[in-house]
Amino acid sequence: MSVKRPTVCFPPRRNSRKPFASCFPLAVHAAIGVWNLILGIVAGSAWFLATAVYYLLLCASRRQVFRMLRDAQKMKNPRRRGAFQMRGCRQVGVWIALIGISYFGVCLCMYVYHKTVTYPFYLLYGVAAAAFFKIGMAVYGIRTAGKQNQPLLSALKWIGFVDACVSIVAVQCALLTWKGEGRAASDSSALLGMGCSVIFLGIGAAMFFRRGARGAAGSEKKE
């Protein structure tokens, strides 16, 4: 009877402390989430409330990954570290699925109430460039973390990928609104966002049902 080798993940390298320095977007998302929550309660707006839930979930998921990365760095046993990282990857899958559901709610409100996203003209192309840069860096980070066999770093990059996709939808909506396509901007962007939400749910499910996660957890129990 063949015995499966347990999943062993490399410890995060010294330069992987870089994510801890990226607390600025986490703080920004938290501030946007709280602000939208206040607006939603005061104005009784479902769109603001759904947007607040999305940003707060995004902030909470990143904070959770930062905490798990910090804990993984303290582990010296490779098998336990591998099992811990794979369990963390499954948890992030749940977070991403919840983010997908919350963003579906945002897009549904956008479609029903014809809400649009606007940016000042001088910021529009800068925001667009930043969105495409974010998605490029997220894809590069996912590939690099996968080669280094670091599930938690890969999970963090997947959260960045979700954030970048949402930014691109917002930029598309802002561009169409700027061109005077108000109704078309809200409808097309909402449908695109709903499609992205389904993809986010798929990503979350794939991370949660990852085979290595169960195998690694089982190897830890046998120790």
Side-chain angles (χ1 to χ4, degrees), residues 64-77:
Q64 177 76 0
V65 177
F66 290 160
R67 185 184 64 79
M68 289 188 293
L69 278 169
R70 194 161 48 238
D71 292 342
Q73 283 183 338
K74 298 174 183 177
M75 295 183 179
K76 296 181 179 179
N77 187 304

Side-chain angles (χ1 to χ4, degrees), residues 138-179:
V139 171
Y140 174 76
I142 290 166
R143 187 178 176 184
T144 303
K147 286 181 179 179
Q148 295 176 356
N149 195 19
Q150 296 187 31
L152 281 178
L153 282 179
S154 180
L156 181 62
K157 297 304 179 182
W158 275 115
I159 294 172
F161 176 80
V162 169
D163 181 29
C165 289
V166 172
S167 297
I168 288 174
V169 174
V171 166
Q172 183 217 16
C173 183
L175 279 170
L176 290 175
T177 304
W178 177 67
K179 290 182 178 179

Side-chain angles (χ1 to χ4, degrees), residues 26 29 54-68 91-96 98-99 155-156 159-160 162:
L26 190 149
H29 290 150
Y54 164 76
Y55 277 107
L56 291 175
L57 282 173
L58 192 67
C59 175
S61 62
R62 275 187 165 143
R63 185 177 180 278
Q64 177 76 0
V65 177
F66 290 160
R67 185 184 64 79
M68 289 188 293
Q91 291 177 21
V92 175
V94 175
W95 280 109
I96 290 178
L98 290 174
I99 290 170
L156 181 62
I159 294 172
V162 169

